[in-house]
Amino acid sequence: MIRKIITTGDGSKTIQVQDWNEQYHSIHGAVNEAYHVFIDKGFSYLTNEAISILEIGFGTGLNALITLIEAEKNSRLVDYTGIEAYPITIEEILQLDYIATLKAEAFSNAFSEMHRSAWENKIRLTPHFSFSKQKKDFLDISESNLYNLIYFDAFGARVQPELWTEIIFEKMYNALTENGVLVTYSAKGSVRRAMQSVGFVVERLPGPPGKREMLRALKVSG
């Protein structure tokens, strides 16, 4: 697939997959979307001092980077796992230039190590942030009762509908601890119904710039 770097509405960059006319982040603002969906409605919503996070679609590493920054800012222990079937290149990472965009030079080495580290190898990037990444298909996820929070950031259902099914969300439900949370930029009715069918309690929330709504799904006891 042909990929190119584009600039989004808030001045931050993302990758566009030209074959699909699909982007890794919102064209209205990659950084704004990441903070709104995953930090404000996910990471900050939970009050755990120590939190285990699974990202579905590690991609450019933007969500992981801003979570690392927030973990250090708030002294929260984070154990972060990113799943990615089709990794991007180091050259693309350099072109995206997220460290400069976020004025996060203090985390430059940690972000570089995040991308250069070996797959399946857990490393401590900062005093509060441990990280590992797994190169595999989302259907191969089999963890149970492990994560407090899931960032569900797969490509949209328009281009990869198989990633937004009951089968996938059952895996997400099983992977979460009791009272765990899943957040995603999607607000499609079919996605909400798939989540509800496997046991999630689903909330519609205001979306990031350019989207009216997003979804937050809760694994609630009882």
Side-chain angles (χ1 to χ4, degrees), residues 10 16 20 56 72 114 135 196 204 219:
D10 63 4
Q16 182 181 63
W20 292 344
I56 301 300
E72 289 303 315
M114 189 185 290
K135 185 180 179 182
Q196 291 171 328
R204 291 191 186 99
K219 181 177 179 177

Side-chain angles (χ1 to χ4, degrees), residues 35 39 43 65-75:
Y35 268 101
I39 298 300
F43 185 75
L65 174 60
I66 63 173
T67 303
L68 184 155
I69 293 169
E70 292 299 312
E72 289 303 315
K73 183 191 301 181
N74 296 287
S75 298

Side-chain angles (χ1 to χ4, degrees), residues 43 46-52 71 74-78 128 148:
F43 185 75
L46 291 176
T47 58
N48 316 46
E49 289 185 13
I51 185 169
S52 180
N74 296 287
S75 298
R76 293 180 75 183
L77 289 173
V78 173
H128 294 94
N148 307 115

Side-chain angles (χ1 to χ4, degrees), residues 12-221:
S12 60
K13 296 177 182 177
T14 192
I15 296 175
Q16 182 181 63
V17 181
Q18 292 186 298
D19 307 63
W20 292 344
N21 190 29
E22 181 81 354
Q23 291 72 230
Y24 278 62
H25 309 95
S26 170
I27 60 172
H28 299 283
V31 167
N32 283 345
E33 177 190 48
Y35 268 101
H36 181 94
V37 175
F38 302 110
I39 298 300
D40 295 346
K41 300 301 189 290
F43 185 75
S44 297
Y45 174 76
L46 291 176
T47 58
N48 316 46
E49 289 185 13
I51 185 169
S52 180
I53 300 175
L54 174 66
E55 180 177 15
I56 301 300
F58 174 66
T60 67
L62 176 59
N63 295 332
L65 174 60
I66 63 173
T67 303
L68 184 155
I69 293 169
E70 292 299 312
E72 289 303 315
K73 183 191 301 181
N74 296 287
S75 298
R76 293 180 75 183
L77 289 173
V78 173
D79 188 349
Y80 197 104
T81 302
I83 305 290
E84 180 58 56
Y86 304 102
I88 66 174
T89 67
I90 293 297
E91 290 72 22
E92 287 170 314
I93 293 300
L94 294 174
Q95 290 179 61
L96 290 165
D97 204 17
Y98 287 139
I99 292 295
T101 300
L102 294 168
K103 297 180 173 59
E105 286 74 14
F107 301 102
S108 179
N109 289 340
F111 188 53
S112 176
E113 183 64 18
M114 189 185 290
H115 285 284
R116 297 178 188 275
S117 63
W119 296 91
E120 315 294 336
N121 182 39
K122 181 177 287 192
I123 55 176
R124 182 171 292 279
L125 292 174
T126 65
H128 294 94
F129 194 91
S130 297
F131 173 81
S132 64
K133 57 188 179 183
Q134 300 174 14
K135 185 180 179 182
K136 64 182 182 183
D137 191 283
F138 301 157
L139 283 169
D140 295 329
I141 295 169
S142 59
E143 287 79 4
S144 177
N145 196 39
L146 185 58
Y147 302 104
N148 307 115
L149 176 61
I150 294 176
Y151 294 167
F152 200 88
D153 200 18
F155 279 124
R158 177 180 64 85
V159 297
Q160 288 194 305
E162 70 278 8
L163 302 182
W164 301 84
T165 62
E166 290 183 21
I167 292 172
I168 293 292
F169 287 119
E170 184 173 26
K171 289 180 175 291
M172 300 299 101
Y173 188 90
N174 291 337
L176 283 170
T177 58
E178 204 66 50
N179 299 313
V181 173
L182 179 152
V183 284
T184 183
Y185 63 86
S186 178
K188 286 177 66 69
S190 59
V191 172
R192 177 174 49 82
R193 290 188 292 273
M195 290 176 174
Q196 291 171 328
S197 71
V198 302
F200 280 115
V201 175
V202 184
E203 300 176 279
R204 291 191 186 99
L205 302 173
K211 282 188 67 68
R212 187 167 60 89
E213 293 182 326
M214 57 163 283
L215 299 177
R216 181 165 62 203
L218 313 175
K219 181 177 179 177
V220 181
S221 58

